[in-house]
Amino acid sequence: MLFAEQFCFAKSNDTLFCNLPTKVVADLILKNKFNPNTANHGIECAAACMDSLFSSNIKTRTFYFKVFDTIINKADGAIAEIVGFYLNDFVLKHPIEFAEIFDFKNKNEVALYFDYLLEVIYIKKK
């Protein structure tokens, strides 16, 4: 177990997660050791990870897309309200990259992502 995992879980203080480097939080999300939906400051931690989708470094964006995929697949509450906007912006800014890294063969994944995209389009038309 990472020191960060022991430290944060031992203290049971979600604020500490947001003080960790984003990469550490991202790794914890990927390992299912941290759920931004249930943590007190989870939305801030998730937003920090999702902000990394817009890094100038393609390897960073590719890594954080995996994190984003984990977040979007478990999103509920406040996080569910913002993931669509991150997805929309990512698709608009990096359409070819999105087409290359997104798993279009997974029908459930396609439905989930496009539901979020359609919701954003609907909200923006209002």
Side-chain angles (χ1 to χ4, degrees):
M1 182 180 281
L2 295 170
F3 171 75
E5 291 177 57
Q6 294 173 334
F7 180 69
C8 291
F9 285 118
K11 299 288 184 182
S12 296
N13 184 349
D14 297 326
T15 304
L16 296 174
F17 272 106
C18 292
N19 294 331
L20 293 172
T22 303
K23 174 74 167 75
V24 173
V25 174
D27 287 333
L28 294 173
I29 290 171
L30 288 173
K31 293 176 185 176
N32 292 317
K33 302 266 184 185
F34 177 71
N35 183 348
N37 291 304
T38 58
N40 290 336
H41 296 279
I43 193 165
E44 291 95 337
C45 296
C49 290
M50 292 186 292
D51 285 345
S52 297
L53 287 170
F54 304 101
S55 167
S56 60
N57 183 315
I58 191 168
K59 288 182 181 179
T60 300
R61 289 194 308 266
T62 301
F63 171 76
Y64 282 98
F65 190 84
K66 292 176 191 167
V67 178
F68 177 75
D69 188 61
T70 300
I71 292 169
I72 200 171
N73 275 288
K74 296 179 179 182
D76 66 6
I79 293 175
E81 293 178 15
I82 64 169
V83 292
F85 291 98
Y86 278 96
L87 176 60
N88 183 68
D89 291 348
F90 184 79
V91 171
L92 290 174
K93 289 182 180 166
H94 306 289
I96 294 170
E97 188 176 334
F98 175 74
E100 291 173 348
I101 61 177
F102 183 70
D103 181 12
F104 286 96
K105 294 176 186 170
N106 182 334
K107 302 293 184 201
N108 291 334
E109 192 91 346
V110 170
L112 175 70
Y113 274 64
F114 285 99
D115 280 349
Y116 278 113
L117 285 173
L118 290 173
E119 183 177 313
V120 170
I121 292 168
Y122 176 76
I123 290 169
K124 286 185 173 186
K125 282 195 156 218
K126 280 187 157 187

